[in-house]
Amino acid sequence: MKYTNEQWKALSDRIMLTLRPTQHPVVMKFISTQEEFDTVPNLTYCQNKASTCKLIGMAAHFQAAFALTRDHFSGYYCAMNNGCMEVNQEFKDGAILYKAPTPWHHDQEDAKKHIASNMQFLPETPYLGIVCAPLCNCDIPEADVIALQLPTQAAFHLLAGYVESNWERLEFPFSGESNCADTWMRTLKEGKIGVSLGCRGDRATGALAYGEVRVTMTTEQLLKALDGVDTVTKNGILYPYNPTCLYKDAF
């Protein structure tokens, strides 16, 4: 479904009033051609090296649309992990995960397993780049992913709203230093909700704050979750949760 700027603004207001997040929710769009870039008005291209995490943080903080092309990623690992560059053998070998400056694994075999897991979320043909824009000021009619930066309590409440109806057990992978694979790339490829505790990259460059988590959803999943939150609110389960008493008759 396509959304107008006004509809995105209304959805953003609903999220801010319902969940009280510390930062604006962000629309993510993965771009295959320059013509697609050109359809987004008021677009600022990153001229310096940046990560997708940083792109999300910039869109949320400055409340404007930003574009990141494959030529301006901060490194090949970020570009390949986000489906914007053909993977090379160095990436497949997991070099960046067991060698300086980011040796997350002491063994190459573990690094290769890590990368192989990430690769299941990559497109067959690399994207040209990514656009991120805040819901409160968004000129992108259709979102691929919506990225939320939430306090842990807000994330719990939103996901509890999602399973309020048509209940299903939600499970989230943890692959280590690959916030992108566990969240927006998974949502993009498989249409599944993503949750990350916040990797070093998202905290160092994306401004994910202490005590916050990253949640990614499709627009439809987000609307279902918010509807569920409205239902439990009508049932007397208010957010934020009172730390001393949960029921009116406790006063």
Side-chain angles (χ1 to χ4, degrees):
M1 178 177 174
K2 294 185 177 181
Y3 287 78
T4 65
N5 192 295
E6 291 74 19
Q7 289 171 318
W8 283 132
K9 176 65 166 60
L11 179 57
S12 178
D13 290 345
R14 185 181 180 189
I15 295 167
M16 299 301 285
L17 290 171
T18 301
L19 300 175
R20 308 183 193 183
T22 56
Q23 195 51 277
H24 294 277
V26 170
V27 161
M28 302 183 70
K29 189 70 179 178
F30 289 76
I31 304 297
S32 297
T33 66
Q34 183 59 49
E35 287 72 24
E36 289 182 71
F37 273 127
D38 294 340
T39 63
V40 183
N42 307 311
L43 189 60
T44 299
Y45 287 85
C46 293
Q47 298 301 314
N48 298 315
K49 298 297 183 180
S51 65
T52 309
C53 304
K54 183 176 181 179
L55 194 71
I56 295 171
M58 289 170 61
H61 183 81
F62 295 108
Q63 299 175 43
F66 291 91
L68 179 60
T69 65
R70 63 171 61 121
D71 296 330
H72 290 90
F73 273 88
S74 53
Y76 77 84
Y77 180 74
C78 183
M80 293 177 187
N81 243 6
N82 285 271
C84 290
M85 187 181 292
E86 289 280 0
V87 299
N88 57 24
Q89 194 60 48
E90 186 176 6
F91 177 79
K92 294 178 181 179
D93 289 342
I96 199 168
L97 295 178
Y98 77 96
K99 292 182 178 180
T102 52
W104 285 100
H105 304 290
H106 78 282
D107 185 275
Q108 184 180 7
E109 289 307 308
D110 287 321
K112 289 172 70 174
K113 291 176 184 177
H114 186 156
I115 293 299
S117 175
N118 291 1
M119 286 183 64
Q120 67 182 300
F121 303 119
L122 302 185
E124 292 183 6
T125 302
Y127 299 105
L128 184 62
I130 304 171
V131 173
C132 288
L135 263 68
C136 62
N137 181 24
C138 183
D139 293 306
I140 301 171
E142 295 179 282
D144 288 326
V145 177
I146 293 180
L148 302 164
Q149 179 173 328
L150 298 174
T152 53
Q153 185 184 148
F156 173 86
H157 199 62
L158 180 65
L159 295 174
Y162 183 81
V163 299
E164 183 274 330
S165 62
N166 299 315
W167 185 90
E168 61 177 299
R169 182 182 181 87
L170 299 179
E171 297 181 343
F172 309 106
F174 177 83
S175 59
E177 182 61 17
S178 295
N179 189 68
C180 42
D182 291 343
T183 53
W184 54 82
M185 295 307 294
R186 180 176 187 244
T187 301
L188 176 69
K189 188 68 178 289
E190 297 186 345
K192 294 181 179 179
I193 296 172
V195 175
S196 170
L197 300 176
C199 68
R200 175 179 176 270
D202 205 3
R203 295 194 185 278
T205 70
L208 191 67
Y210 177 82
E212 293 181 330
V213 296
R214 178 74 67 197
V215 178
T216 57
M217 294 177 157
T218 65
T219 309
E220 293 72 21
Q221 289 167 336
L222 177 58
L223 290 170
K224 179 181 184 296
L226 290 171
D227 287 345
V229 168
D230 288 346
T231 298
V232 300
T233 299
K234 291 175 183 176
N235 291 341
I237 303 174
L238 306 181
Y239 175 84
Y241 309 138
N242 189 302
T244 57
C245 55
L246 295 176
Y247 304 101
K248 292 179 181 178
D249 57 9
F251 288 97

